[in-house]
């Protein structure tokens, strides 16, 4: 590792430990030439994940798009940003585990809906109405009937239960 002070390529690792996220290793180094101490981080290089849209176009996977879509659906609902973050983490893990570099946008949308139905029913209905592009109230009514027939009990971001 190149020293930031003298630019020597020879350094020794003094201390090595896992960073708080568990996906990074923090290393304290000492330059063998000038003695300067510096810190480096080692991370897993994640392969680029590409989302194939319904119209065939491709774009890079974005956690932020999923997060923002859920935030919009959860407005004025008792759903914490931590709960949404956990949902997005689970979705990303599932997508990365299931794909070989490309994933259909439908797969991501369905994973979001699976997570939201467990998180908060109203957030789920709001997201579903946009994601499924309901054409009339009848389609929304059918979704609600399906939810009622399944007798879903869900938890919200504040750990309250609703029926």
């Amino acid at each position: 590792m190149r020293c930031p002070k003298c630019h020597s390529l020879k350094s020794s690792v003094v201390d090595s430990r896992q960073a708080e996220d568990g996906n990074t290793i923090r290393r304290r180094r000492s330059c063998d030439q000038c003695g300067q101490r510096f810190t480096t981080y080692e991370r897993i290089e994640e392969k680029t994940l590409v989302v194939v849209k319904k119209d065939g176009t491709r774009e890079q996977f974005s956690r932020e798009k999923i997060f923002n879509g859920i935030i919009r659906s959860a407005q004025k609902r008792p759903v914490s940003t931590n709960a949404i973050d956990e949902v997005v983490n689970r979705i990303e893990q599932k997508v990365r585990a299931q794909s070989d570099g490309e994933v259909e946008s439908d797969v991501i949308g369905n994973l979001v809906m699976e997570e939201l139905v467990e998180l908060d029913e109203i957030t789920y209905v709001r997201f579903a109405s946009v994601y499924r592009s309901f054409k009339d109230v009848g389609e929304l009514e059918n979704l609600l009937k399906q939810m009622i027939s399944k007798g879903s009990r869900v938890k919200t971001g504040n750990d309250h239960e609703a029926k």
Side-chain angles (χ1 to χ4, degrees):
M1 185 63 63
R2 184 178 52 80
C3 172
K5 184 176 179 183
C6 73
H7 304 290
S8 170
L9 293 175
K10 301 223 179 210
S11 66
S12 303
V13 175
V14 177
D15 181 43
S16 185
R17 64 180 64 173
Q18 213 174 51
E20 61 278 344
D21 66 359
N23 295 324
T24 307
I25 297 176
R26 177 184 178 270
R27 298 193 195 281
R28 288 292 295 155
R29 295 179 177 269
S30 176
C31 176
D32 293 345
Q33 183 140 355
C34 71
Q36 172 77 21
R37 288 191 172 221
F38 57 98
T39 303
T40 60
Y41 293 90
E42 182 180 323
R43 291 184 180 81
I44 295 173
E45 185 177 347
E46 302 254 4
K47 63 183 175 185
T48 302
L49 189 57
V50 175
V51 178
V52 181
K53 309 285 270 180
K54 290 177 185 174
D55 65 2
T57 59
R58 289 169 163 68
E59 68 179 44
Q60 191 168 349
F61 175 82
S62 170
R63 291 176 46 89
E64 291 76 30
K65 283 183 81 170
I66 297 170
F67 185 86
N68 291 336
I70 295 172
I71 283 284
R72 280 192 301 276
S73 298
Q75 277 185 331
K76 298 183 181 179
R77 295 294 305 152
V79 179
S80 71
T81 54
N82 285 343
I84 294 171
D85 232 2
E86 290 172 11
V87 164
V88 174
N89 287 339
R90 285 193 297 272
I91 291 167
E92 183 177 14
Q93 287 172 354
K94 289 176 185 175
V95 167
R96 288 194 181 278
Q98 294 173 1
S99 78
D100 57 349
E102 284 192 350
V103 62
E104 302 273 335
S105 61
D106 284 351
V107 171
I108 295 171
N110 288 329
L111 287 171
V112 171
M113 293 196 18
E114 285 173 17
E115 289 284 339
L116 292 183
V117 77
E118 295 297 319
L119 181 68
D120 182 71
E121 288 177 329
I122 300 300
T123 301
Y124 168 78
V125 170
R126 288 176 177 171
F127 184 88
S129 69
V130 173
Y131 176 68
R132 290 187 179 167
S133 302
F134 290 155
K135 291 168 185 54
D136 57 37
V137 177
E139 291 181 20
L140 178 59
E141 184 180 14
N142 288 338
L143 175 68
L144 295 173
K145 284 180 182 176
Q146 288 173 2
M147 289 174 68
I148 291 168
S149 71
K150 290 179 182 176
S152 71
R153 291 185 64 79
V154 299
K155 60 182 181 202
T156 65
N158 290 340
D159 298 320
H160 297 295
E161 288 193 355
K163 183 161 184 178

